[in-house]
Amino acid sequence: MVKALTSAMALLLAVVGFSATVQAATQSLEQRVERLERRADNPVLIQLSRRLAEQQRQIQELYGEIDRLKYQLSQTRDKMAKQYQETDERINQLETRPAGKAVTAVPVVSSEAVTSVVESREATKEAAAESKAKTHAIHPATAEEKKAYDQAFGLIKKSDYKSASEAFAKFKKQYPQSELASNASYWEGESEVILGHDQKALEAFKMVYEKYPDSSKAPDALLRSADMHQEMGQVKEAKALYEKLLKAFPKGKAATKAEQRLKDLKSK
């Protein structure tokens, strides 16, 4: 009997203990939920959460901006590499002898021949005058002119493009009738391209093909001008210059490039 009573008491105590444990656990869980609810209602935490979300959005936008800038930088590098490559090619192809039309010697005319052409003498004089005006009385470079030109070109080889541009501008102003003046104007333009002065470069190139149309640099100057207009988004001007190049100089490397680029523009 005593043993049975003892077992019953032990069982009762176990049940009471378990009930107390369950009640404590229930209260603890309720307290935790209550604390979480208080935190959720905390205006400071809400504000911090909003700020965190805003910062995450801004970070995503910055990542997008970085990707865009990387792409633009890549495009700019490719463009500059192309310009430097073309400039290097032109420097490497620089003629050892200044370009210009050969001066044709005037033949000695006998008295009989003079008699046969006496009636056309005035027309011949007018044609000669027009030819002289067209070529602006270009003369072969003197030793002084060659020295000044070489000094200016040496600045390009040193990558001192600002000084080179100034030196070439000074040369063509001081020796406008020299056969090297057209070359000086062309390389002034190339220097200004590298310096990023597009308008000055276009003016220098324009002088080459307008003032010195017989110069070997005229086709290259037209091509460079057309390319620059295209890069600036001035498609109409670019097409006009490509067509002018093909009409005036249908043969040569410049014409081949102009023809291809004109086709590319028309296909767009």
Side-chain angles (χ1 to χ4, degrees), residues 156-175:
I156 281 188
K157 293 180 178 179
K158 295 178 181 179
S159 299
D160 187 358
Y161 300 108
K162 184 176 184 299
S163 298
S165 177
E166 294 172 352
F168 283 126
K170 181 180 179 182
F171 180 94
K172 68 182 186 181
K173 183 177 181 180
Q174 189 171 357
Y175 309 108

Side-chain angles (χ1 to χ4, degrees), residues 181-197:
S182 62
N183 290 46
S185 188
Y186 176 84
W187 290 110
E188 178 192 1
E190 289 289 3
S191 299
E192 292 295 345
V193 169
I194 295 174
L195 293 171
H197 302 158

Side-chain angles (χ1 to χ4, degrees), residues 71-86:
Y71 175 76
Q72 290 182 347
L73 179 60
S74 176
Q75 293 289 86
T76 302
R77 285 176 175 171
D78 291 343
K79 178 181 176 182
M80 292 300 296
K82 181 180 177 181
Q83 290 180 347
Y84 279 118
Q85 183 179 0
E86 290 185 354

Side-chain angles (χ1 to χ4, degrees), residues 42-60:
N42 191 323
V44 175
L45 291 177
I46 293 174
Q47 187 176 9
L48 288 174
S49 178
R50 289 176 179 174
R51 287 183 179 178
L52 180 60
E54 178 64 18
Q55 289 176 351
Q56 289 176 339
R57 184 186 64 79
Q58 292 177 352
I59 289 172
Q60 291 297 327

